[in-house]
Amino acid sequence: MHPRIEDYALIGDLQTAALVGRDGSIDWLCLPRFDSGACFAALLGGKDNGHWGLAPTSPDARAERSYRGDSLVLDTVWHTPDGAVRVTDFMPHRDRAPDVVRIVEGLRGSVAMRGVLRLRFDYGWVIPWVRAAEGSRVAIAGPDSVWLRTPERSRTYGKDFSTRSDFTVAAGERAAFVLTWHPSEEPRPFQIDPFEALETTLEDWYAWSARCRYNGPHRGAVIRSLITLKALTYGPTGGIVAAPTTSLPEALGGVRNWDYRYCWLRDASLTLNSLISAGYLDEAGSWREWLLRAVAGAPEDLQIMYGLAGERRLPEAELPWLTGYAGSVPVRTGNAAVQQRQLDVYGEVLDCFHIGRQAGIESEAHAWSIQRALVDYLESTWRDPDEGLWEIRGPRRHFVHSKVMAWVAADRAVRALEADPKLGGDLDRWRAMRDDVHREVCERGYDAERGTFTQYYGSAALDAATLLIPRVGFLPGDDPRVVGTVDAVRRELSRDGLVRRYSTDGGTNIDGLPGGEGTFLVCSFWLADALALTGRGAEARALFERLLALCNDVGLLSEEYDPVSGRQLGNFPQAFSHLGLVGTAFGLHGYAGAD
């Protein structure tokens, strides 16, 4: 049986990340980057696909865990009949080689411990050759090499294609394990001091967290979300992955299992807004510069997602040797949605640069040329159908949200040129485009009989993305069409008060896939935002409180939540969900609308 998704916690070094279970097992880790092959893939298979367990040998041990202050250093305190120990897991901010450090500290009595390391490179496929060398264990297979340093007091030995370490820790004693990856053709990298690395890592995170300027309610949840977003940032480029995992299912046993270890343009404006609102202008600037590099090129070649450094080819493949999380197959790497046409990304990009200008973030001189080219291209293509925000793997349609975001692109271009005519551009033509899009959406995307915007032209179905209409400024929150849309979404897409993206009831759905999915957490945050914008502040705050209660014990959220089983679903932790949390917190703090 797999642990529940919410039973995991996150550690990382701003280039990759690992998931640590309540049972003390690291079940997911890709090295050296977020999108590299996993050396621990038990998350998507079994323990034989790679993991690193470290826990007391007592069958009666129980654990409680927390992050140490406002950091990404994870403490798990184990209580046993013989005493108590604390296991501290973290990844130091990387110099050159990635390290995973696990420190065991005796708190009370004397506790017998066991470490079990099973390295399986290439997503659990390759068993490495392991040998003793230079007082450590080194595992090598193909391009990958991993060194394991163990405490002197431990008895380390091989058994069942794993490396085991047995030792005892008394009160006041400390023992450290360090796992270091490097390319197998290179010499062993520098060996860090694990205890100094702990202090440095804490200092780094505390200094970063102290820059947060949010002082409203639930500050701890906001900072934890911001730390998570920082942890999902690929430091060398500033790109932010949607999640550090692949193929965690949207429905247990289902086929909706996707690779989220890439950077989506749909997150652009939400990310920039959150970072700027919280005072992280450097990170906001890095993210925007990543975006600028990624989208440079012919406007018609704009993609919905890119790799960590802006890579464009992300071929999708299946890994048949992995049995999937809770039997959910296939397990996928890469993402074929990269080839989709999604018109909303043009609006996301233009809005992102608009937000940056408002915040006073300086931009590259050629940035406006790229934005101008994008809006000029969109002028001739916004009337075309697309696959939409949710990456529908079915026929292209005229999705209302896509058209609204085309309006956003024109609107932001108009506002930029009005503010600074020296930028250059055809202001009259862009204004006409903005008016044309607005008119068409209101005529063809609105169901007057039901009083709601629909998912696509001519459809009776609804889409939670239409909750963003007041947020992006397409219509004001007090417009009856907005109020009606909010009410319709609550009525038809709600499940136990939380919001699904769109209807997946019965058989094969609009997305071309069988089965259903859980409620989408960011959509539920959008509902809270929309309630606030339509003057229902008390309802908005009540929903926000409920969503906060869905965070796991260390403050993390996945992509979705199933109210029936009471479980988190989808890739974890999910940037979109934490962006929603931060955005709603800022939107509600000090909100003075009607209750």
Side-chain angles (χ1 to χ4, degrees):
M1 294 292 293
H2 284 85
R4 295 160 71 98
I5 290 172
E6 56 265 41
D7 286 340
Y8 287 100
L10 181 78
I11 59 173
D13 66 356
L14 309 185
Q15 296 190 41
T16 191
L19 294 187
V20 187
R22 289 180 186 270
D23 60 356
S25 180
I26 299 179
D27 287 348
W28 182 254
L29 174 61
C30 300
L31 291 171
R33 303 190 345 167
F34 289 106
D35 57 353
S36 299
C39 63
F40 301 141
L43 180 71
L44 300 178
K47 297 299 186 184
D48 286 341
N49 296 120
H51 77 112
W52 186 9
L54 182 60
T57 59
S58 171
D60 298 320
R62 60 179 179 84
E64 56 187 29
R65 61 185 185 169
S66 62
Y67 286 112
R68 192 174 301 185
D70 294 332
S71 79
L72 203 66
V73 174
L74 179 69
D75 286 328
T76 302
V77 176
W78 290 93
H79 300 275
T80 77
D82 299 317
V85 297
R86 177 170 54 223
V87 177
T88 299
D89 294 321
F90 67 99
M91 296 183 70
H93 292 178
R94 192 182 306 186
D95 180 13
R96 184 158 180 259
D99 297 289
V100 181
V101 180
R102 314 194 75 177
I103 296 175
V104 184
E105 181 179 2
L107 302 178
R108 175 175 53 82
S110 182
V111 179
M113 301 287 295
R114 171 168 291 167
V116 180
L117 175 69
R118 285 188 178 90
L119 284 162
R120 300 292 187 267
F121 297 124
D122 196 14
Y123 302 100
W125 177 249
V126 178
I127 301 176
W129 173 49
V130 181
R131 61 185 175 87
E134 302 176 31
S136 302
R137 294 294 194 278
V138 58
I140 297 176
D144 297 293
S145 180
V146 165
W147 291 79
L148 175 67
R149 288 159 53 197
T150 60
E152 292 184 1
R153 67 168 66 95
S154 71
R155 182 175 72 91
T156 300
Y157 56 98
K159 182 178 180 180
D160 298 331
F161 296 98
S162 69
T163 300
R164 303 197 176 194
S165 297
D166 294 333
F167 61 103
T168 299
V169 178
E173 294 180 341
R174 293 193 300 179
F177 294 79
V178 181
L179 184 146
T180 306
W181 179 95
H182 69 99
S184 59
E185 73 275 10
E186 295 183 2
R188 181 177 186 174
F190 173 78
Q191 300 180 54
I192 65 169
D193 181 306
F195 304 108
E196 289 183 2
L198 173 60
E199 297 305 316
T200 301
T201 302
L202 286 170
E203 290 173 3
D204 289 343
W205 279 112
Y206 291 161
W208 189 86
S209 299
R211 292 164 49 200
C212 177
R213 65 186 185 194
Y214 178 79
N215 290 307
H218 306 293
R219 188 172 188 272
V222 171
I223 292 180
R224 179 52 51 195
S225 290
L226 290 166
I227 290 172
T228 303
L229 293 172
K230 179 66 172 178
L232 299 182
T233 302
Y234 184 62
T237 66
I240 300 176
V241 298
T245 56
T246 178
S247 301
L248 288 179
E250 298 173 11
L252 296 180
V255 300
R256 299 167 183 266
N257 318 316
W258 315 111
D259 193 347
Y260 276 13
R261 298 171 300 157
Y262 307 111
C263 308
W264 266 258
L265 299 191
R266 71 185 182 200
D267 301 359
S269 59
L270 289 174
T271 300
L272 208 67
N273 252 330
S274 295
L275 293 173
I276 289 173
S277 297
Y280 292 103
L281 296 184
D282 290 343
E283 286 76 9
S286 296
W287 164 243
R288 197 195 54 180
E289 294 309 310
W290 173 89
L291 180 66
L292 184 62
R293 295 191 300 270
V295 305
E300 61 269 23
D301 294 333
L302 187 69
Q303 297 184 176
I304 67 168
M305 72 180 85
Y306 296 85
L308 305 177
E311 297 91 344
R312 294 180 176 238
R313 290 190 301 107
L314 310 174
E316 187 172 299
E318 297 181 2
L319 308 182
W321 62 87
L322 291 174
T323 56
Y325 178 86
S328 306
V329 291
V331 172
R332 295 180 173 96
T333 61
N335 201 311
V338 72
Q339 301 170 354
Q340 288 190 353
R341 175 183 181 80
Q342 295 181 21
L343 294 174
D344 63 287
V345 298
Y346 293 86
E348 296 288 358
V349 172
L350 269 293
D351 194 34
C352 185
F353 285 103
H354 172 73
I355 293 168
R357 280 191 297 270
Q358 287 186 316
I361 300 176
E362 293 186 6
S363 182
E364 299 287 345
H366 65 284
W368 176 250
S369 298
I370 292 177
Q371 296 168 70
R372 180 174 173 176
L374 291 176
V375 73
D376 283 343
Y377 172 75
L378 186 61
E379 183 186 16
S380 63
T381 59
W382 70 265
R383 291 182 174 86
D384 297 338
D386 70 343
E387 277 91 359
L389 169 72
W390 304 125
E391 299 168 8
I392 301 298
R393 298 198 177 196
R396 289 179 176 175
R397 294 176 171 86
H398 292 282
F399 287 99
V400 170
H401 174 263
S402 296
K403 307 300 185 184
V404 169
M405 294 309 295
W407 176 89
V408 168
D411 178 72
R412 302 324 188 239
V414 166
R415 292 165 67 177
L417 201 52
E418 287 175 341
D420 186 1
K422 296 191 298 296
L423 289 172
D426 195 327
L427 186 59
D428 291 338
R429 202 174 78 239
W430 292 349
R431 283 174 175 158
M433 172 188 167
R434 181 177 65 177
D435 293 342
D436 289 344
V437 177
H438 200 280
R439 185 181 309 108
E440 179 176 297
V441 170
C442 292
E443 290 176 356
R444 301 183 62 190
Y446 182 72
D447 185 335
E449 291 186 7
R450 295 161 64 209
T452 180
F453 284 97
T454 60
Q455 185 174 37
Y456 55 92
Y457 292 172
S459 170
L462 301 184
D463 191 326
T466 56
L467 293 170
L468 294 171
I469 285 175
R471 181 169 177 164
V472 300
F474 184 84
L475 288 172
D478 60 359
D479 189 289
R481 291 166 293 185
V482 171
V483 176
T485 299
V486 174
D487 290 341
V489 167
R490 293 179 82 183
R491 183 174 60 250
E492 298 186 27
L493 293 183
S494 175
R495 181 180 294 165
D496 195 25
L498 305 177
V499 181
R500 295 173 292 163
R501 295 184 294 175
Y502 48 86
S503 177
T504 57
D505 295 333
T508 300
N509 308 293
I510 184 178
D511 54 22
L513 297 169
E517 62 183 23
T519 58
F520 213 72
L521 290 173
V522 76
C523 295
S524 300
F525 284 112
W526 291 347
L527 175 58
D529 298 337
L531 287 170
L533 291 170
T534 55
R536 290 172 276 188
E539 294 177 59
R541 288 189 287 272
L543 177 55
F544 185 53
E545 296 279 350
R546 184 176 177 201
L547 289 166
L548 289 175
L550 300 182
C551 294
N552 74 355
D553 59 317
V554 290
L556 301 181
L557 289 170
S558 65
E559 179 183 29
E560 300 183 8
Y561 182 78
D562 179 13
V564 177
S565 64
R567 295 183 60 166
Q568 293 194 25
L569 296 172
N571 284 303
F572 173 89
Q574 176 78 1
F576 227 16
S577 299
H578 286 282
L579 285 167
L581 189 157
V582 174
T584 302
F586 274 99
L588 293 179
H589 177 51
Y591 178 69
D595 289 342

mmCIF file of all heavy atoms in Angstrom, residues 191-210:
data_model
loop_
_atom_site.group_PDB
_atom_site.id
_atom_site.type_symbol
_atom_site.label_atom_id
_atom_site.label_comp_id
_atom_site.label_asym_id
_atom_site.label_seq_id
_atom_site.Cartn_x
_atom_site.Cartn_y
_atom_site.Cartn_z
ATOM 1 N N GLN A 191 33.305 16.993 -0.083
ATOM 2 C CA GLN A 191 32.491 16.435 0.985
ATOM 3 C C GLN A 191 32.116 17.535 1.977
ATOM 4 O O GLN A 191 32.983 18.132 2.616
ATOM 5 C CB GLN A 191 33.251 15.321 1.707
ATOM 6 C CG GLN A 191 33.638 14.156 0.812
ATOM 7 C CD GLN A 191 34.389 13.088 1.574
ATOM 8 O OE1 GLN A 191 33.923 12.600 2.597
ATOM 9 N NE2 GLN A 191 35.573 12.719 1.082
ATOM 10 N N ILE A 192 30.838 17.779 2.111
ATOM 11 C CA ILE A 192 30.375 18.823 3.011
ATOM 12 C C ILE A 192 30.394 18.326 4.454
ATOM 13 O O ILE A 192 30.364 17.126 4.719
ATOM 14 C CB ILE A 192 28.955 19.288 2.651
ATOM 15 C CG1 ILE A 192 27.950 18.143 2.849
ATOM 16 C CG2 ILE A 192 28.896 19.819 1.235
ATOM 17 C CD1 ILE A 192 26.510 18.588 2.767
ATOM 18 N N ASP A 193 30.454 19.274 5.385
ATOM 19 C CA ASP A 193 30.254 18.964 6.784
ATOM 20 C C ASP A 193 28.750 19.040 7.042
ATOM 21 O O ASP A 193 28.143 20.116 6.924
ATOM 22 C CB ASP A 193 30.987 19.971 7.674
ATOM 23 C CG ASP A 193 30.829 19.668 9.165
ATOM 24 O OD1 ASP A 193 29.665 19.548 9.618
ATOM 25 O OD2 ASP A 193 31.839 19.569 9.864
ATOM 26 N N PRO A 194 28.090 17.926 7.374
ATOM 27 C CA PRO A 194 26.633 17.940 7.471
ATOM 28 C C PRO A 194 26.090 18.877 8.547
ATOM 29 O O PRO A 194 25.014 19.473 8.371
ATOM 30 C CB PRO A 194 26.282 16.485 7.778
ATOM 31 C CG PRO A 194 27.533 15.893 8.345
ATOM 32 C CD PRO A 194 28.655 16.602 7.675
ATOM 33 N N PHE A 195 26.812 19.031 9.638
ATOM 34 C CA PHE A 195 26.323 19.870 10.732
ATOM 35 C C PHE A 195 26.482 21.356 10.393
ATOM 36 O O PHE A 195 25.603 22.170 10.705
ATOM 37 C CB PHE A 195 27.045 19.508 12.027
ATOM 38 C CG PHE A 195 26.905 18.048 12.367
ATOM 39 C CD1 PHE A 195 27.988 17.185 12.250
ATOM 40 C CD2 PHE A 195 25.690 17.535 12.781
ATOM 41 C CE1 PHE A 195 27.865 15.835 12.538
ATOM 42 C CE2 PHE A 195 25.556 16.184 13.090
ATOM 43 C CZ PHE A 195 26.641 15.332 12.970
ATOM 44 N N GLU A 196 27.588 21.713 9.755
ATOM 45 C CA GLU A 196 27.729 23.090 9.277
ATOM 46 C C GLU A 196 26.703 23.383 8.188
ATOM 47 O O GLU A 196 26.132 24.478 8.130
ATOM 48 C CB GLU A 196 29.144 23.314 8.728
ATOM 49 C CG GLU A 196 30.233 23.348 9.789
ATOM 50 C CD GLU A 196 31.595 23.638 9.190
ATOM 51 O OE1 GLU A 196 31.661 23.853 7.944
ATOM 52 O OE2 GLU A 196 32.580 23.656 9.942
ATOM 53 N N ALA A 197 26.465 22.389 7.318
ATOM 54 C CA ALA A 197 25.485 22.577 6.248
ATOM 55 C C ALA A 197 24.089 22.825 6.811
ATOM 56 O O ALA A 197 23.321 23.619 6.261
ATOM 57 C CB ALA A 197 25.478 21.359 5.325
ATOM 58 N N LEU A 198 23.760 22.177 7.913
ATOM 59 C CA LEU A 198 22.463 22.400 8.539
ATOM 60 C C LEU A 198 22.330 23.846 8.988
ATOM 61 O O LEU A 198 21.306 24.502 8.725
ATOM 62 C CB LEU A 198 22.286 21.450 9.719
ATOM 63 C CG LEU A 198 21.039 21.679 10.577
ATOM 64 C CD1 LEU A 198 19.771 21.530 9.749
ATOM 65 C CD2 LEU A 198 21.018 20.725 11.783
ATOM 66 N N GLU A 199 23.343 24.367 9.674
ATOM 67 C CA GLU A 199 23.266 25.747 10.153
ATOM 68 C C GLU A 199 23.184 26.728 8.984
ATOM 69 O O GLU A 199 22.401 27.697 9.021
ATOM 70 C CB GLU A 199 24.489 26.055 11.026
ATOM 71 C CG GLU A 199 24.556 25.205 12.290
ATOM 72 C CD GLU A 199 23.297 25.297 13.118
ATOM 73 O OE1 GLU A 199 22.785 26.429 13.299
ATOM 74 O OE2 GLU A 199 22.801 24.250 13.581
ATOM 75 N N THR A 200 23.973 26.484 7.945
ATOM 76 C CA THR A 200 23.954 27.379 6.785
ATOM 77 C C THR A 200 22.622 27.337 6.070
ATOM 78 O O THR A 200 22.091 28.379 5.662
ATOM 79 C CB THR A 200 25.086 26.997 5.814
ATOM 80 O OG1 THR A 200 26.350 27.092 6.476
ATOM 81 C CG2 THR A 200 25.093 27.920 4.610
ATOM 82 N N THR A 201 22.068 26.139 5.934
ATOM 83 C CA THR A 201 20.786 25.999 5.257
ATOM 84 C C THR A 201 19.678 26.709 6.025
ATOM 85 O O THR A 201 18.831 27.392 5.439
ATOM 86 C CB THR A 201 20.443 24.512 5.074
ATOM 87 O OG1 THR A 201 21.491 23.867 4.328
ATOM 88 C CG2 THR A 201 19.123 24.329 4.344
ATOM 89 N N LEU A 202 19.675 26.563 7.336
ATOM 90 C CA LEU A 202 18.680 27.269 8.147
ATOM 91 C C LEU A 202 18.836 28.777 8.014
ATOM 92 O O LEU A 202 17.845 29.516 7.881
ATOM 93 C CB LEU A 202 18.809 26.844 9.614
ATOM 94 C CG LEU A 202 18.298 25.445 9.953
ATOM 95 C CD1 LEU A 202 18.705 25.064 11.374
ATOM 96 C CD2 LEU A 202 16.772 25.374 9.810
ATOM 97 N N GLU A 203 20.070 29.249 8.076
ATOM 98 C CA GLU A 203 20.317 30.690 7.940
ATOM 99 C C GLU A 203 19.795 31.197 6.599
ATOM 100 O O GLU A 203 19.180 32.265 6.520
ATOM 101 C CB GLU A 203 21.806 30.990 8.080
ATOM 102 C CG GLU A 203 22.347 30.801 9.496
ATOM 103 C CD GLU A 203 23.863 30.933 9.549
ATOM 104 O OE1 GLU A 203 24.474 31.227 8.488
ATOM 105 O OE2 GLU A 203 24.445 30.732 10.635
ATOM 106 N N ASP A 204 20.062 30.435 5.533
ATOM 107 C CA ASP A 204 19.615 30.848 4.199
ATOM 108 C C ASP A 204 18.098 30.958 4.135
ATOM 109 O O ASP A 204 17.560 31.948 3.623
ATOM 110 C CB ASP A 204 20.099 29.847 3.146
ATOM 111 C CG ASP A 204 21.604 29.915 2.914
ATOM 112 O OD1 ASP A 204 22.218 30.922 3.307
ATOM 113 O OD2 ASP A 204 22.157 28.954 2.339
ATOM 114 N N TRP A 205 17.395 29.956 4.656
ATOM 115 C CA TRP A 205 15.938 29.971 4.598
ATOM 116 C C TRP A 205 15.343 31.042 5.518
ATOM 117 O O TRP A 205 14.371 31.714 5.158
ATOM 118 C CB TRP A 205 15.369 28.596 4.956
ATOM 119 C CG TRP A 205 15.406 27.652 3.799
ATOM 120 C CD1 TRP A 205 16.181 26.533 3.659
ATOM 121 C CD2 TRP A 205 14.633 27.743 2.594
ATOM 122 N NE1 TRP A 205 15.927 25.927 2.451
ATOM 123 C CE2 TRP A 205 14.985 26.640 1.781
ATOM 124 C CE3 TRP A 205 13.671 28.633 2.129
ATOM 125 C CZ2 TRP A 205 14.411 26.425 0.521
ATOM 126 C CZ3 TRP A 205 13.098 28.425 0.873
ATOM 127 C CH2 TRP A 205 13.476 27.334 0.091
ATOM 128 N N TYR A 206 15.921 31.204 6.700
ATOM 129 C CA TYR A 206 15.399 32.226 7.612
ATOM 130 C C TYR A 206 15.554 33.622 7.017
ATOM 131 O O TYR A 206 14.651 34.465 7.130
ATOM 132 C CB TYR A 206 16.108 32.146 8.964
ATOM 133 C CG TYR A 206 15.777 30.918 9.781
ATOM 134 C CD1 TYR A 206 16.613 30.508 10.812
ATOM 135 C CD2 TYR A 206 14.630 30.168 9.534
ATOM 136 C CE1 TYR A 206 16.321 29.381 11.580
ATOM 137 C CE2 TYR A 206 14.331 29.043 10.283
ATOM 138 C CZ TYR A 206 15.177 28.648 11.302
ATOM 139 O OH TYR A 206 14.884 27.534 12.054
ATOM 140 N N ALA A 207 16.696 33.864 6.390
ATOM 141 C CA ALA A 207 16.918 35.172 5.780
ATOM 142 C C ALA A 207 15.936 35.404 4.636
ATOM 143 O O ALA A 207 15.398 36.515 4.466
ATOM 144 C CB ALA A 207 18.359 35.285 5.276
ATOM 145 N N TRP A 208 15.676 34.365 3.852
ATOM 146 C CA TRP A 208 14.744 34.510 2.735
ATOM 147 C C TRP A 208 13.322 34.745 3.246
ATOM 148 O O TRP A 208 12.610 35.639 2.771
ATOM 149 C CB TRP A 208 14.788 33.253 1.863
ATOM 150 C CG TRP A 208 14.017 33.398 0.590
ATOM 151 C CD1 TRP A 208 14.463 33.919 -0.592
ATOM 152 C CD2 TRP A 208 12.644 33.040 0.382
ATOM 153 N NE1 TRP A 208 13.455 33.915 -1.527
ATOM 154 C CE2 TRP A 208 12.324 33.376 -0.956
ATOM 155 C CE3 TRP A 208 11.658 32.477 1.178
ATOM 156 C CZ2 TRP A 208 11.062 33.167 -1.503
ATOM 157 C CZ3 TRP A 208 10.387 32.260 0.640
ATOM 158 C CH2 TRP A 208 10.101 32.595 -0.683
ATOM 159 N N SER A 209 12.898 33.962 4.217
ATOM 160 C CA SER A 209 11.532 34.076 4.732
ATOM 161 C C SER A 209 11.285 35.418 5.406
ATOM 162 O O SER A 209 10.159 35.939 5.386
ATOM 163 C CB SER A 209 11.249 32.941 5.719
ATOM 164 O OG SER A 209 11.372 31.676 5.098
ATOM 165 N N ALA A 210 12.325 35.973 6.005
ATOM 166 C CA ALA A 210 12.169 37.244 6.716
ATOM 167 C C ALA A 210 11.819 38.389 5.767
ATOM 168 O O ALA A 210 11.342 39.438 6.212
ATOM 169 C CB ALA A 210 13.448 37.572 7.479
#
